[in-house]
Amino acid sequence: EITKRDLDWMVDKIHGKEIEFTDHIPTAFEITGTKQKEDMDDHYGYVKFVPPFEKFRPLTAELTTLSFEIEKKFGFSPKISKIQMQMLTLASKIDTENYQAVEQLAVCCIKIGKVKQAKELLLKCLEINPKFSAARVILAETYTELYQFSNALDEIKKIDLVKMPDVEKINIILIKARIKMIKGELDSADLEFQNANNIGKKTNENWKHLEDGLYAGWYTCQTEKGDYKRAIEVLEIDKQRDPNSVPTWNNLGMQYSLLGEYEKSFEAYEHAYKLDNRAPNVLMNLGLLYLQKDDDQTALKYYEKAKSSLEEGYNKFTGFDKDGKMTDTLLALTQKAITIIRESKYEDKENFINL
């Protein structure tokens, strides 16, 4: 329902009167006890914005909102992104001050890999409203993606961290950690991850959407350092957060295997298997473990199950390569293992185990 005050604001805006733009920082969290899938409530609880959002012209506001709803209902796909971009482009043309539409247009560009175009849109968004911290954080992420690290860090310096809620502080720390990992400064990146882990009260409402990135990044940092024991420590922290995480148990199995602690590795893989007996990575790792034990027939059973899962399109937890899901790569590996076992090629088996 539009009040007279809202209508007056819109009329003033249409007539071009000076408007002071505000930041959009969630400053109050409330435990709601509800979990609405893909809703803001899923991430934050009920959010109060202080100061409140500006009111844009009715049509451009409707287009911006509708672009959210389309992806929420149909999920992400290149076709959906194209429709969203058309709507948001129109919204930003109808009202050239609608920086939210410009920011969302940039996010769409990032999703389809047009990072340079996203950068220009975010710069335009911040030219309209320099106080829009959320867009500045995304710009820092975009600069990082483009390996323009000094620009990314410059954007972070412009953000008033004191005003930011814990989730946004974590997001900014993760950007800095990623930059340090890319530059090979792994010890420094490790400290950033530790700082991120020590910030804030961890609740479903204001942490879930960042925790996966935090612990996955921290774990990767340890594996790149070759510190398998520390990697296990990080996984144990993550396991406390989510005891039923298949990737966490699977990664524990891999790290124990690298340390030569095969019984603990087997226990971790078995636990992951009980949680999901179709996960290709888990099945393949169990197959490899049985190959190492010279129990070829049991290994064959797991590799054949992995092959079936992949052929059925069950590619949960399989990760990505530059071409998307690693289904084809994993299928080739499972088929190679199956061939080696069936043809009893001892030398090929040893080479496969030591890949």
Side-chain angles (χ1 to χ4, degrees), residues 98-248:
N98 189 344
Y99 54 84
Q100 286 179 286
V102 178
E103 180 233 6
Q104 286 304 305
L105 186 55
V107 170
C108 286
C109 288
I110 291 168
K111 287 179 180 178
I112 61 172
K114 295 185 176 180
V115 184
K116 290 182 179 178
Q117 187 176 337
K119 182 191 78 172
E120 297 305 319
L121 286 165
L122 289 164
L123 288 169
K124 178 183 176 183
C125 171
L126 288 163
E127 184 180 341
I128 301 168
N129 182 4
K131 297 180 181 180
F132 195 2
S133 297
R136 201 171 293 283
V137 173
I138 299 171
L139 180 57
E141 292 174 336
T142 304
Y143 276 133
T144 303
E145 191 70 25
L146 293 169
Y147 281 45
Q148 297 175 10
F149 303 135
S150 59
N151 287 342
L153 294 172
D154 284 344
E155 292 303 322
I156 288 172
K157 288 176 185 176
K158 296 173 186 175
I159 298 169
D160 185 355
L161 291 176
V162 175
K163 291 170 55 182
M164 303 297 266
D166 289 340
V167 282
E168 297 302 334
K169 289 176 184 174
I170 298 303
N171 201 10
I172 290 166
I173 290 174
L174 292 183
I175 295 170
K176 291 159 68 176
R178 185 182 173 207
I179 290 171
K180 289 174 179 178
M181 283 186 65
I182 293 171
K183 293 169 72 174
E185 299 170 4
L186 298 178
D187 288 336
S188 184
D190 190 8
L191 288 174
E192 295 287 3
F193 286 118
Q194 289 180 50
N195 291 336
N197 182 58
N198 292 331
I199 287 180
K201 182 180 178 182
K202 300 172 181 59
T203 66
N204 285 335
E205 281 70 23
N206 64 355
W207 266 78
K208 179 66 179 80
H209 64 302
L210 277 179
E211 278 190 315
D212 289 339
L214 165 58
Y215 294 113
W218 199 6
Y219 164 72
T220 302
C221 182
Q222 308 314 314
T223 59
E224 290 189 11
K225 289 170 67 177
D227 192 343
Y228 307 133
K229 289 184 178 179
R230 181 64 175 148
I232 289 170
E233 290 175 8
V234 172
L235 290 168
E236 288 293 342
I237 295 171
D238 193 17
K239 194 175 74 176
Q240 292 174 20
R241 175 183 70 100
D242 185 359
N244 296 320
S245 169
V246 173
T248 299

Side-chain angles (χ1 to χ4, degrees), residues 36-85:
Q36 299 175 19
K37 187 176 180 183
E38 295 180 2
D39 200 335
M40 181 171 277
D41 189 41
D42 189 34
H43 297 322
Y44 291 110
Y46 291 125
V47 180
K48 298 176 183 177
F49 288 94
V50 182
F53 284 101
E54 291 86 355
K55 299 292 183 181
F56 297 108
R57 297 181 193 179
L59 177 57
T60 185
E62 288 295 327
L63 286 168
T64 307
T65 302
L66 188 55
S67 72
F68 279 108
E69 296 300 320
I70 287 175
E71 185 171 343
K72 182 178 172 182
K73 182 172 182 178
F74 297 105
F76 169 77
S77 71
K79 185 175 181 180
I80 292 297
S81 282
K82 184 177 180 181
I83 295 170
Q84 287 179 292
M85 290 175 74

Side-chain angles (χ1 to χ4, degrees), residues 216-282:
W218 199 6
Y219 164 72
T220 302
C221 182
Q222 308 314 314
T223 59
E224 290 189 11
K225 289 170 67 177
D227 192 343
Y228 307 133
K229 289 184 178 179
R230 181 64 175 148
I232 289 170
E233 290 175 8
V234 172
L235 290 168
E236 288 293 342
I237 295 171
D238 193 17
K239 194 175 74 176
Q240 292 174 20
R241 175 183 70 100
D242 185 359
N244 296 320
S245 169
V246 173
T248 299
W249 282 100
N250 185 58
N251 288 334
L252 275 169
M254 287 193 290
Q255 296 308 308
Y256 279 123
S257 180
L258 289 167
L259 286 171
E261 298 185 35
Y262 297 113
E263 285 305 314
K264 287 184 178 179
S265 175
F266 178 76
E267 288 172 8
Y269 287 143
E270 278 287 295
H271 194 92
Y273 179 73
K274 287 176 184 176
L275 292 170
D276 187 341
N277 62 8
R278 296 181 65 205
N281 280 0
V282 176

